[in-house]
Amino acid sequence: MLAWLIVTAYVPVAVAGVALDKVFRTTLGQHVPTAIFFALNGIALFVTEQLRRGGTARRRAVAVAARGEEQLSAEEQSDLRITRLTMRQAVTIGAAQIIALLPGISRTGSTISAGIFKGLNHEDSARCALLHAAPVIGGAALLKLPPLLGALGNGLRGPLLAGSVAAFVAAYLAPRYLARHFEHRALIPFAICCSVVGLGSLAYFAVA
């Protein structure tokens, strides 16, 4: 069931990514729009956290209900709670990744925010975002790698390899960090970081 939720939620972002790829890369992929979106990403995370604290976001119960579920690991319990989402809720959370096609918008942040508004807690929303990462990143790789392996990739393969290694290390460490972070903290540090970097970048590129 969990696999079907992930695959179904992937469909909207896949369609949008293919249809709007050129727009995201050219018109919106400039320095100033990217800086603006980065700052807006931080503001969105801040607003999400404030609304959650104010009770606007529905909270899905985190207590295990079925007999014997208390014997499951924390990851297994989280997966079980995620599978209790309806298909519509899962697709909505997955579709939030479309926003992350905009340069400067965090895929993980947008998915976590959508998960919170659909009733998941921080930990489950983060896990849901990480589970959604595999098909999205895999699909993007299938779309972008073939041209880069040809003539268009001349001079880019070294940076591409270095970036891929860095991304692999970050992807390996991120789930552990987020799991610990959301045990006692919220989205505010990420919101502040994105807002400061985005506004600073906007100021820099606006006068450059």
Side-chain angles (χ1 to χ4, degrees):
M1 180 61 180
L2 180 60
W4 278 112
L5 287 176
I6 294 172
V7 171
T8 304
Y10 167 69
V11 173
V13 67
V15 173
V18 172
L20 302 174
D21 176 63
K22 186 176 181 179
V23 176
F24 290 132
R25 285 190 297 106
T26 56
T27 306
L28 299 176
Q30 305 300 315
H31 296 313
V32 171
T34 299
I36 293 174
F37 287 132
F38 206 87
L40 290 176
N41 182 73
I43 294 172
L45 293 177
F46 180 81
V47 171
T48 296
E49 189 60 39
Q50 295 306 309
L51 292 178
R52 182 197 68 83
R53 292 178 180 181
T56 300
R58 295 180 295 105
R59 300 302 302 278
R60 185 172 299 277
V62 298
V64 292
R67 191 174 186 179
E69 288 180 13
E70 65 274 5
Q71 303 301 321
L72 299 176
S73 67
E75 292 80 6
E76 290 171 329
Q77 291 183 24
S78 180
D79 288 347
L80 191 58
R81 291 191 293 270
I82 292 172
T83 59
R84 290 171 181 158
L85 291 168
T86 65
M87 189 63 71
R88 182 175 180 179
Q89 289 172 325
V91 170
T92 301
I93 295 173
Q97 298 175 106
I98 295 175
I99 303 174
L101 294 174
L102 295 169
I105 300 294
S106 166
R107 189 204 61 81
T108 301
S110 61
T111 311
I112 289 176
S113 295
I116 288 175
F117 279 103
K118 287 302 176 182
L120 296 175
N121 59 30
H122 283 96
E123 296 89 336
D124 291 351
S125 294
R127 184 163 179 79
C128 190
L130 294 169
L131 289 172
H132 279 81
V136 173
I137 295 174
L142 290 174
L143 181 66
K144 297 296 183 180
L145 276 180
L148 291 174
L149 294 176
L152 291 177
N154 292 339
L156 298 176
R157 295 187 183 89
L160 177 62
L161 178 60
S164 298
V165 172
F168 175 82
V169 174
Y172 178 78
L173 296 176
R176 292 161 177 77
Y177 170 76
L178 288 176
R180 293 180 181 180
H181 175 85
F182 285 128
E183 285 179 0
H184 306 291
R185 300 178 182 87
L187 295 170
I188 299 301
F190 302 107
I192 294 174
C193 178
C194 291
S195 298
V196 170
V197 173
L199 292 174
S201 299
L202 179 60
Y204 174 80
F205 290 119
V207 299

